C-alpha cells in the first residue's frame, strides 16, 4: 500500500516493523532464522499487534 501511495506522490499510511522477544529467532528446522527490527521492550507505542499462529506446543513457548 505504501508503495502505491508513494507512486502517487502521497505519504505512507503505515509503518510496519517485525518485533521479537530475542535478537535472532531460529526456525525449528534450523534452515533459517528471523531477525526482528526491534525488541518488544523497545516499542513505546503501537496501534496494531499481529500474533502469528503457533504450530508447536503452545505451552513450550511460555517456558
Amino acid at each position: 500500500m505504501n508503495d502505491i501511495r508513494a507512486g502517487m506522490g502521497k505519504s505512507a499510511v503505515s509503518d510496519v516493523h517485525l518485533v521479537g522477544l530475542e535478537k535472532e529467532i531460529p526456525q525449528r528446522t534450523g534452515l533459517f532464522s528471523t531477525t526482528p527490527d526491534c525488541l518488544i521492550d523497545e516499542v513505546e507505542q503501537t496501534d496494531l499487534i499481529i500474533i502469528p499462529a503457533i504450530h508447536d506446543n503452545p505451552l513450550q513457548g511460555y517456558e
Side-chain angles (χ1 to χ4, degrees):
M1 181 60 119
N2 286 340
D3 291 339
I4 294 170
R5 290 183 57 85
M8 298 168 53
K10 297 183 178 181
S11 62
V13 293
S14 61
D15 186 21
V16 179
H17 296 273
L18 178 63
V19 179
L21 298 175
E22 300 172 0
K23 291 187 178 195
E24 187 172 326
I25 306 160
Q27 299 304 306
R28 65 182 169 153
T29 60
L31 295 176
F32 65 93
S33 62
T34 304
T35 306
D37 299 319
C38 60
L39 300 179
I40 190 74
D41 59 348
E42 298 170 347
V43 176
E44 294 181 15
Q45 188 268 334
T46 186
D47 295 322
L48 176 66
I49 298 173
I50 299 174
I51 301 173
I54 298 174
H55 298 287
D56 292 327
N57 180 354
L59 297 178
Q60 184 180 6
Y62 294 118
E63 295 175 0

